[in-house]
Amino acid sequence: MRGVSAKEEARRWAEEVHRAGGRVALVPTMGFLHRGHAALIEAGVHTGAQVAVSVFVTPLQFGPREDLAHYPLDAVRDREVARGAGAALLFTPDPEEMYPEGFATRVEVAGLSERWCGAARPGHFQGVATVVTKLLNLFRPDEAYFGEKDYQQLVLLRRLARDLDFGCRVVGVPTVREEDGLALSSRNAYLSPEERRRARAIPAALAAAAAAHARGERDAEELRRAALQVLKGAPGVRVEYVAVVDPETLEPLEAVRGPVRMLLAAWVGSTRLIDNRFLAGA
Ligand code: AMP
């Protein structure tokens, strides 16, 4: 696996892969790689593509009072996980390389960026869309892989790739979870052992809604209530939102007809966690 931190080296690498007749797959990350990131890399490797992993904690997507300065870092582990999953290139640019002095452009996906996590974190999705646009321009990948864990981000980036004619397929990869159901996340590192136990309520809330759905419940408010009941029973867990949404537009629904997504954000102590689940079937 090659490691580069200059944009031009990254661009040249991708051009060489394409010139040799290969396909380029891109996996953008903020580092502190875990099995969830590895699943994205492996999904690309599995198709025969040369996979580039970017590790960049993008300042634009953090609000002024958010955890950028404390975001966990482990460059050695990042290399190990990326190499172990079969990545061909690890791109680790500095903030100055990505946002040199005078950088003034922002990319906004209207509508999709405003709801749910966008409402709680103003500017967040603009930061994500801007950095992903830059990465897609640098690598010109044939496919880009994103986790379903960040479902709103996945939907929004699909829209971005389509709207801006990147000609790149945006592939969603199912959420990788711990044994007790908690979605793997770099932010889980912030949780104390007690908070980690309490965080179990998040996947349990989604499971309660899925069980109600499987019993035939089709009223979105009732499905939300099933999830909220579990969260309210968990001490130290504060709900930010629980929503039943159309899986493509992310608009909230009242009645459930066909497959829908439940989205959830909650604070466990001072850590904000998100998760979601498909509600489908009989
Ligand atoms: P992050 O480093 O948290 O920005 O995540 C980088 C990519 O990995 C995003 O596309 C995430 O959705 C994805 N990802 C993070 N956690 C998981 C997980 N537990 N399962 C699958 N994908 C994940």
Side-chain angles (χ1 to χ4, degrees):
M1 184 182 73
R2 250 182 84 186
V4 301
S5 52
K7 285 187 296 193
E8 281 319 309
E9 282 183 278
R11 192 197 298 278
R12 259 202 310 277
W13 173 86
E15 281 170 1
E16 278 161 22
V17 171
H18 278 141
R19 207 172 303 125
R23 283 187 305 108
V24 172
L26 176 67
V27 177
T29 80
M30 297 204 300
F32 210 64
L33 301 185
H34 51 62
R35 284 188 290 118
H37 299 112
L40 269 56
I41 299 168
E42 284 159 5
V45 170
H46 191 70
T47 69
Q50 298 286 311
V51 178
V53 180
S54 64
V55 170
F56 181 61
V57 181
T58 169
L60 285 185
Q61 74 185 65
F62 284 79
R65 281 179 302 279
E66 294 189 30
D67 55 356
L68 171 63
H70 305 287
Y71 199 80
L73 276 173
D74 189 341
V76 173
R77 190 170 83 168
D78 286 351
R79 282 195 69 80
E80 273 169 21
V81 174
R83 188 192 288 117
L89 185 90
L90 185 64
F91 177 48
T92 53
D94 289 334
E96 301 75 47
E97 179 72 359
M98 293 300 274
Y99 298 113
E101 185 121 346
F103 187 92
T105 303
R106 299 287 186 275
V107 180
E108 175 87 35
V109 183
L112 280 175
S113 65
E114 285 142 33
R115 272 193 193 283
W116 315 126
C117 286
R121 306 180 69 192
H124 167 69
F125 285 120
Q126 194 186 67
V128 172
T130 302
V131 77
V132 169
T133 297
K134 285 172 68 72
L135 292 168
L136 293 177
N137 276 326
L138 279 174
F139 285 92
R140 305 285 161 128
D142 300 274
E143 290 105 33
Y145 289 81
F146 298 94
E148 287 185 358
K149 147 99 174 14
D150 300 276
Y151 190 76
Q152 185 174 8
Q153 170 174 281
L154 170 63
V155 170
L156 181 141
L157 294 175
R158 243 188 210 133
R159 182 82 257 161
L160 171 104
R162 223 177 294 155
D163 287 354
L164 298 185
D165 304 314
F166 278 109
C168 154
R169 210 160 59 88
V170 170
V171 184
V173 176
T175 303
V176 177
R177 298 175 179 281
E178 302 279 11
E179 223 160 84
D180 67 356
L182 183 67
L184 263 61
S185 163
S186 309
R187 289 190 165 90
N188 293 352
Y190 299 146
L191 302 172
S192 69
E194 180 58 34
E195 288 170 342
R196 172 63 188 81
R197 272 190 295 280
R198 290 171 173 181
R200 165 93 188 79
I202 293 173
L206 294 173
H213 184 269
R215 285 195 301 272
E217 183 58 67
R218 290 297 180 269
D219 183 291
E221 204 43 47
E222 287 303 319
L223 294 168
R224 285 183 69 244
R225 219 191 304 275
L228 285 166
Q229 205 167 16
V230 174
L231 293 166
K232 282 183 182 142
V237 177
R238 184 164 57 81
V239 180
E240 188 179 285
Y241 66 78
V242 175
V244 176
V245 304
D246 178 283
E248 274 160 39
T249 64
L250 303 187
E251 290 296 315
L253 300 168
E254 280 175 21
V256 173
R257 293 181 206 92
V260 298
R261 205 97 195 175
M262 174 168 271
L263 307 181
L264 187 165
W267 291 80
V268 181
S270 55
T271 304
R272 183 175 181 276
L273 298 176
I274 58 172
D275 201 348
N276 68 86
R277 182 165 171 153
F278 208 43
L279 305 180

